[in-house]
Amino acid sequence: MDAKMNRHLNRRDFLKLAGLLPLGVATPRLVRSLGASRLLQAGKKNVLVVVFDAFSASHLSLNGYQRETMPNLVRLAERAIVYHNHYAGGSFTTAGTASLLTGTLPWTHRAFQLNGIVAEPFVTRNFFSAFQDYYRIAYTHNGVANILLEQISEELDEWVPWKSLFLQSYGESIRNLFEKDSDIFSVGWTRNMNIKQEGYAYSLFLSHLYEALRENQFTDLKKLFPRGLPSTGDIVNDFLLEDAIDWTGNRLTLIPQPFFGYFHFLPPHIPYNTSLEFINRFSHDGFKPVEKPQDIFTEGNPNEKVLKNLIEYDEFLLYVDREFNRLFNYMETSGLLENTWVVFTSDHGEIFERGSIGHSSDALYQAQIRVPLLIFEPGRKTRMDIHTPTCAVDVLPTLSQVNGYNIPDWTEGMVLPPYADASPDQNRSIYVIKANKNEKYAPITHASTALIKGHYKLLYYFGDIERGIDELVKLYDIEADPEELVDLYSSQKDVADELLNELKVKLAEVNRPYM
Amino acid sequence: MTGTKTQLYSRQGLWSLFLMCAFPLHFWTLLLAFRDISWLTERSNLWDAIGVVSYGLLFAFVESLMVFLVVALLGLLISTKWEESRRIALLSILMFVLSLWAMYGQAHFVWNLSPSNWVLKLMAQSGHPYRVIFSITFIEVFLSIAVSTFLVLRWDKFFRFMQEAIDRISFLTSLYLVLDLIGLVIVVIRNI
């Protein structure tokens, strides 16, 4: 435990580092000159994986979205490999993040329940174990993702404490009393005290008092965030993405090279509290998304609420864009970019359609599972567009290969084009799984699954007792019908049956160890 | 009513007052917490949902203590020419009235209630809708407090009704306190 603690950057470490600031100014240059020859010899470059939580690829103009939500990213993409059909492993943080970190799908890593952790073998089978001789650093704003980082923290040289990049709030000291149950405490505390968000709280009187106290805290910052400070959604976890970006940029210039950095920031995850600069940027632009009929998975939100949230999400993306651009500039001006692979991606998407908002829907529509992936290769000056379907599990083997490592035999991913030796398989099967109600170590009998193959996408739902779904199958042609409006299950039954059979064979295979 | 001065509070009186303060706070917490159980279970699991309810009960207990302290101190402002049971009844009904108003304020959001269109139209036409809302609310709250006070202090039949109500509610609140204890145990288990 002590050894583990020593590797985390605590407040004391941080203060020590702050004391070394004058030296730190000179360090990057020194490190660069010392490290450059070593890097060249070993052929290994730094790796920085930047995850913005709940970022749907459907909201990128790079993928045809009508709003320009990420103008800086679009500009930077001219030097990147842009993957247009990239899928998360799961549809919410635990499953999606674990897939990215382990290079395996949820039915293999088994972290498919909220707050879940990966199966024991993957504690030492992940990005950080694959990059053993790198300086491995990780941080996340997301408490659920932090559970995963905690589980594999033995593989990290620096696990940046979750709370270190949050603003200190009144509830913080109370939270410390319940540290071992911090997630559920946070939900309980929020339901008791957060009267502002929903208009009601468990507490009849204290919630008003607490709200008044909070109103007087961070008053200057609040002027810059009229919808509220960015937060995890509970009321003791306010943060500024600016702070996290500044800290990350500075830290990367101080740590030993080559480094492997995993930084998982919360925006654009709900609450969509964007900066003043971007408020109302899209509220009167006349954009009307395609109207989609509500289905069995609808959360029943009225259309006005869905559209309001959509605008706020898109405006929050502008904030993400500004801050990613700043991080990129840090990397460029410090010289790190020359020797660093930068990966821009997300753990899952977000939907604003069919009465659903967010990513808790069981439906697995495109907006919820398709995420951005851009790879900034050191020295690349031109853009390359990849339209072949790819998956989050591909990132680990790809980064392993390009940095001279053998591809771990436990990963389920493939090396991404253009780095793969063979030309990309257009008919590769991509799987996405949501099985948050299934027992962890049991056959998967209650899940939503998607199989993407070529231009088809098969959705297969089974075991959903609450909705009375024994089996439900949908088929879409996502090339001709990217909005998933026409279910082809009846009209193209042969295609659906073939894909369904393939999916069932796969399920039988992954269930075998648990039978 | 009595003309002789009595002691400020007896132990039994304080306990009754505490139970009366705890009742509406626990009632509201449980009402909302049980509404949350299904979606919490769906998104996480039943044990986590029970955890959230347990934290709710724990906070309700703490809030009850704090509110009780404030109410008991405010009770010192009431003349001791009224016997203790009548003062407790008065403080209890004031607590209930204020709690009901607080619940009413939140209920609009819980059940998506909104004033009828003609009321909204009328307020908008006034040119100062906020002033109108605050004035009406102030008058309503003031009147409800004044009427409650009058009824308890001046109408013996109502006072006796209050005493009976306090007895019955005390029993119910005692059950809530047992739930608090269970909640505390759950919170401790979750934090071991």
Side-chain angles (χ1 to χ4, degrees):
Chain A
M1 183 67 185
D2 284 342
K4 191 168 137 188
M5 289 285 286
N6 287 341
R7 290 209 305 273
H8 306 157
L9 186 79
N10 57 30
R11 185 177 158 74
R12 177 176 287 186
D13 294 334
F14 184 78
L15 291 173
K16 277 184 197 166
L17 281 171
L20 291 173
L21 195 61
L23 180 63
V25 172
T27 302
R29 212 170 295 160
L30 187 67
V31 168
R32 273 213 309 279
S33 58
L34 288 174
S37 60
R38 200 183 126 209
L39 282 170
L40 277 172
Q41 280 167 13
K44 286 174 183 164
K45 296 190 162 75
N46 304 314
V47 177
L48 176 65
V49 178
V50 183
V51 174
F52 286 100
D53 206 296
F55 194 140
S56 172
S58 305
H59 290 251
L60 272 177
S61 67
L62 288 168
N63 292 326
Y65 193 53
Q66 289 179 40
R67 282 179 175 148
E68 187 49 276
T69 53
M70 301 285 289
N72 289 301
L73 188 73
V74 169
R75 181 173 48 78
L76 296 174
E78 293 303 317
R79 300 149 65 176
I81 300 167
V82 183
Y83 297 83
H84 293 272
N85 290 303
H86 186 68
Y87 291 88
S91 62
F92 63 100
T93 295
T94 301
T97 304
S99 284
L100 182 61
L101 291 176
T102 64
T104 61
L105 290 163
W107 50 39
T108 303
H109 62 59
R110 311 306 284 189
F112 46 60
Q113 295 169 338
L114 188 68
N115 296 323
I117 54 176
V118 293
E120 192 59 30
F122 294 99
V123 173
T124 52
R125 290 178 182 176
N126 53 60
F127 260 134
F128 308 111
S129 56
F131 285 78
Q132 281 284 349
D133 52 350
Y134 274 51
Y135 185 84
R136 296 151 302 171
I137 177 172
Y139 174 74
T140 178
H141 277 132
N142 188 320
V144 175
N146 198 51
I147 292 172
L148 292 168
L149 291 184
E150 181 177 15
Q151 189 195 8
I152 58 180
S153 59
E154 290 291 338
E155 300 293 320
L156 285 165
D157 295 290
E158 189 176 331
W159 171 36
V160 185
W162 179 46
K163 290 180 203 165
S164 61
L165 299 182
F166 283 90
L167 300 167
Q168 291 293 310
S169 70
Y170 289 121
E172 198 58 38
S173 50
I174 302 170
R175 176 203 284 280
N176 291 339
L177 293 173
F178 304 97
E179 204 165 27
K180 289 189 175 166
D181 189 29
S182 61
D183 285 340
I184 297 303
F185 165 77
S186 290
V187 177
W189 180 254
T190 302
R191 302 300 291 141
N192 268 274
M193 295 298 180
N194 192 2
I195 195 158
K196 194 175 180 185
Q197 194 172 321
E198 301 278 351
Y200 60 90
Y202 295 177
S203 161
L204 280 175
F205 300 112
L206 274 186
S207 53
H208 292 282
L209 186 66
Y210 186 73
E211 194 51 49
L213 282 170
R214 271 174 53 80
E215 281 297 314
N216 289 318
Q217 201 181 16
F218 312 128
T219 40
D220 290 342
L221 287 179
K222 280 174 181 165
K223 287 175 194 156
L224 300 173
F225 293 89
R227 290 183 183 138
L229 289 170
S231 81
T232 59
D234 70 48
I235 51 176
V236 288
N237 281 334
D238 295 327
F239 64 86
L240 295 181
L241 185 55
E242 291 91 324
D243 287 352
I245 293 294
D246 287 342
W247 188 91
T248 305
N250 283 325
R251 187 74 192 128
L252 292 179
T253 60
L254 293 172
I255 58 177
Q257 295 185 38
F259 61 73
F260 181 96
Y262 177 84
F263 287 86
H264 183 147
F265 304 114
L266 200 68
H269 190 288
I270 200 166
Y272 315 126
N273 294 341
T274 197
S275 166
L276 177 66
E277 184 184 345
F278 307 117
I279 293 278
N280 296 332
R281 189 68 67 87
F282 297 129
S283 54
H284 304 292
D285 64 354
F287 169 65
K288 282 188 183 151
V290 176
E291 275 193 42
K292 300 181 185 179
Q294 299 208 352
D295 60 14
I296 195 167
F297 299 105
T298 185
E299 292 169 350
N301 292 296
N303 200 38
E304 306 79 61
K305 187 177 176 185
V306 174
L307 291 178
K308 179 176 176 284
N309 276 268
L310 172 65
I311 289 169
E312 291 182 358
Y313 178 78
D314 287 345
E315 289 174 354
F316 204 22
L317 286 175
L318 289 167
Y319 177 55
V320 170
D321 181 61
R322 185 187 74 189
E323 292 309 310
F324 178 71
N325 186 48
R326 285 205 314 115
L327 180 63
F328 204 87
N329 285 342
Y330 260 116
M331 304 279 297
E332 196 154 36
T333 52
S334 65
L336 277 176
L337 200 60
E338 294 163 25
N339 292 317
T340 305
W341 290 83
V342 180
V343 176
F344 178 101
T345 190
S346 186
D347 53 348
H348 57 82
E350 196 86 331
I351 58 167
F352 302 90
E353 60 184 57
R354 304 172 216 248
S356 294
I357 297 169
H359 50 269
S360 55
S361 165
D362 291 333
L364 301 187
Y365 288 120
Q366 287 291 81
Q368 198 175 337
I369 60 174
R370 197 167 63 123
V371 293
L373 176 67
L374 285 87
I375 296 182
F376 297 89
E377 181 184 352
R380 172 170 277 278
K381 301 284 179 219
T382 55
R383 171 170 155 181
M384 180 184 280
D385 293 281
I386 305 287
H387 293 276
T388 311
T390 56
C391 181
V393 297
D394 301 337
V395 179
L396 189 152
T398 305
L399 291 174
S400 298
Q401 174 165 298
V402 298
N403 284 291
Y405 289 106
N406 292 327
I407 298 166
D409 55 5
W410 37 262
T411 176
E412 292 175 307
M414 297 172 73
V415 176
L416 290 161
Y419 305 106
D421 296 332
S423 57
D425 177 6
Q426 299 292 340
N427 278 318
R428 178 187 171 201
S429 299
I430 301 281
Y431 300 98
V432 185
I433 307 105
K434 186 181 187 203
N436 56 315
K437 290 165 198 159
N438 204 93
E439 286 290 314
K440 182 171 180 175
Y441 294 116
I444 294 173
T445 55
H446 183 174
S448 302
T449 52
L451 166 58
I452 296 105
K453 193 168 187 176
H455 53 96
Y456 285 112
K457 175 181 174 186
L458 181 93
L459 289 165
Y460 176 44
Y461 312 98
F462 52 97
D464 189 345
I465 301 155
E466 292 97 348
R467 291 192 183 90
I469 297 174
D470 186 25
E471 278 196 331
L472 176 64
V473 184
K474 293 183 178 201
L475 180 72
Y476 295 101
D477 181 337
I478 47 176
E479 208 170 282
D481 175 27
E483 302 289 348
E484 297 163 289
L485 293 168
V486 183
D487 180 5
L488 302 172
Y489 179 65
S490 309
S491 59
Q492 298 196 26
K493 197 141 187 334
D494 50 337
V495 177
D497 286 345
E498 190 184 322
L499 293 176
L500 183 60
N501 185 52
E502 182 183 335
L503 185 53
K504 283 186 172 176
V505 168
K506 186 72 185 171
L507 280 165
E509 181 191 321
V510 298
N511 280 342
R512 206 165 294 136
Y514 304 98
M515 297 299 269
Chain B
M1 184 171 61
T2 175
T4 57
K5 290 213 169 189
T6 56
Q7 66 176 120
L8 288 172
Y9 293 114
S10 65
R11 193 178 290 177
Q12 180 59 38
L14 281 173
W15 178 240
S16 289
L17 185 58
F18 171 70
L19 293 177
M20 291 310 101
C21 291
F23 172 70
L25 303 176
H26 280 73
F27 170 79
W28 189 247
T29 294
L30 286 168
L31 186 77
L32 293 188
F34 282 120
R35 275 171 52 97
D36 284 343
I37 281 185
S38 60
W39 72 261
L40 283 166
T41 306
E42 197 175 308
R43 281 168 176 74
S44 186
N45 56 55
L46 185 61
W47 175 238
D48 285 348
I50 290 170
V52 172
V53 177
S54 300
Y55 282 112
L57 287 168
L58 196 64
F59 297 137
F61 180 75
V62 173
E63 185 173 15
S64 301
L65 285 174
M66 294 166 84
V67 170
F68 161 69
L69 204 67
V70 173
V71 172
L73 287 172
L74 285 175
L76 299 179
L77 300 174
I78 304 172
S79 167
T80 49
K81 75 175 185 176
W82 306 101
E83 72 266 38
E84 188 196 21
S85 55
R86 203 176 282 265
R87 280 184 280 127
I88 298 293
L90 175 61
L91 291 170
S92 299
I93 199 162
L94 292 181
M95 176 68 198
F96 290 166
V97 167
L98 289 176
S99 298
L100 281 172
W101 280 114
M103 288 176 197
Y104 175 75
Q106 294 195 26
H108 284 95
F109 299 96
V110 180
W111 292 287
N112 288 325
L113 310 174
S114 61
S116 49
N117 282 341
W118 69 269
V119 175
L120 293 173
K121 211 170 170 183
L122 204 69
M123 284 195 288
Q125 280 172 353
S126 72
H128 303 285
Y130 285 111
R131 276 188 219 172
V132 174
I133 289 172
F134 285 126
S135 306
I136 292 173
T137 306
F138 178 78
I139 292 167
E140 283 175 339
V141 173
F142 178 80
L143 279 177
S144 58
I145 288 173
V147 170
S148 312
T149 307
F150 177 81
L151 288 174
V152 171
L153 296 182
R154 298 288 179 189
W155 193 18
D156 285 345
K157 203 172 171 184
F158 188 81
F159 167 56
R160 281 196 296 279
F161 164 77
M162 269 307 292
Q163 279 187 306
E164 273 181 39
I166 287 172
D167 283 346
R168 289 176 189 204
I169 290 170
S170 294
F171 177 72
L172 186 57
T173 313
S174 303
L175 293 179
Y176 289 163
L177 294 182
V178 174
L179 289 179
D180 286 357
L181 192 64
I182 295 169
L184 178 66
V185 171
I186 291 169
V187 166
V188 169
I189 290 169
R190 294 187 65 94
N191 284 277
I192 290 172

